[in-house]
Amino acid sequence: MVEEMIIDGSVLDGVGRVLFVHAHPDDETIATGALIAALAERGVAVAVLTATRGERGEVVPGSLPAGLDQQRLSAARENELAAALTELGAITHAFLGTPPARADAQPRRYHDSGMSWLREGLAGPAPDGGPLALTAADTAEVVADIGAMITTFAPDLLISYDAGGGYGHPDHVLLHHATIAAGRRAGVPVAEIVPAEAPDAESFAAPAQREALVRALSRHASQLTVDGTDIVHVGGQREPIRTTTLLRVIDRKRS
């Protein structure tokens, strides 16, 4: 049961509204899907803010029609994301730069910055991110847009990446810093998603959410394949399906 996952004094104790800040469609499910489903089942109001449409993601062969341009790939990934969130039970979703996650009157579409592999398991910036990329944006603008979502949704807690972005993707790293800045400005506590070896991490296991998580992962068919207990990414990398999320508090709520 979800109640068994929430422990006294933890970052999730007594939380009624949680905003997850992620970079691309499928990140929310891979990194935090079980936690999202568990919180939603418990009656916590969950929102997911996605920064980009994952325009530069590779595509699993045969999952989408061949020759899709960036616009149609974006639309396909939006649909996959919506279907995955339905499986997880998240009640609210927004794209960064689009109301309610927009501080300016003119909407903005942040694009996937892309990445390049520096070594196995560690990504770095792509050589051709382009002027529309999330990482090319003024960080203050990104912070303000996250802040607009905070104002509208009024979360008790923000959850996003750690300083390394999980595996180094530049969009993840940028959102780590921007989410902290937006949380501090709004006085909302922030927790980061950390690896198993991280000190001071709180572990939230939600094995009862495995079936919902697998269904949600399967909705992201253009990006990954579920193979038994593993996720197989479009590039062939394998990782175990995670029903445990480790969080570390960056900022606790101010009085």
Side-chain angles (χ1 to χ4, degrees):
M1 295 294 293
V2 179
E3 287 77 7
E4 296 172 357
M5 181 193 67
I6 311 298
I7 58 175
D8 281 344
S10 82
V11 66
L12 295 177
D13 185 40
V15 166
R17 302 177 71 81
V18 179
L19 173 60
F20 291 80
V21 182
H22 281 288
H24 319 99
D26 80 11
D27 290 334
E28 79 297 325
T29 304
I30 295 171
T32 55
L35 180 58
I36 289 172
L39 291 171
E41 184 179 278
R42 185 175 184 259
V44 174
V46 177
V48 174
L49 177 58
T50 309
T52 79
R53 277 78 173 171
E55 297 90 344
R56 300 193 61 179
E58 297 179 69
V59 174
V60 173
S63 61
L64 294 174
L68 284 184
D69 59 21
Q70 195 172 87
Q71 181 177 357
R72 287 185 291 174
L73 174 58
S74 297
R77 296 202 67 183
E78 287 184 32
N79 291 337
E80 289 181 340
L81 174 58
L85 291 177
T86 296
E87 299 288 1
L88 297 177
I91 65 165
T92 302
H93 177 262
F95 280 105
L96 190 69
T98 301
R102 181 60 172 166
D104 191 87
Q106 182 66 37
R108 169 172 182 164
R109 189 181 183 108
Y110 295 97
H111 283 222
D112 184 348
S113 304
M115 48 157 264
S116 59
W117 288 110
L118 303 179
R119 57 175 171 77
E120 185 176 354
L122 180 64
D128 55 348
L132 299 178
L134 178 64
T135 53
D138 184 342
T139 302
E141 183 177 6
V142 176
V143 171
D145 286 349
I146 297 172
M149 184 68 179
I150 293 172
T151 298
T152 299
F153 185 67
D156 301 311
L157 177 69
L158 305 175
I159 295 176
S160 193
Y161 309 103
D162 65 0
Y167 63 96
H169 195 297
D171 287 340
H172 294 206
V173 174
L174 183 148
L175 286 178
H176 163 81
H177 296 290
T179 301
I180 291 172
R184 286 176 176 167
R185 181 177 297 177
V188 178
V190 181
E192 58 182 357
I193 307 156
V194 294
E197 65 272 13
D200 305 321
E202 298 175 2
S203 177
F204 302 97
Q209 306 304 323
R210 181 178 178 81
E211 289 186 10
L213 175 58
V214 169
R215 291 196 304 269
L217 287 166
S218 298
R219 295 293 191 175
H220 287 293
S222 74
Q223 302 301 301
L224 58 88
T225 303
V226 175
D227 182 20
T229 60
D230 288 347
I231 300 165
V232 182
H233 294 273
V234 64
Q237 306 94 331
R238 300 182 74 95
E239 67 172 297
I241 295 171
R242 289 177 281 182
T243 57
T244 297
T245 307
L246 277 78
L247 300 177
R248 179 168 55 200
V249 180
I250 299 172
D251 287 322
R252 295 193 180 273
K253 191 173 182 63
R254 293 167 172 78
S255 57

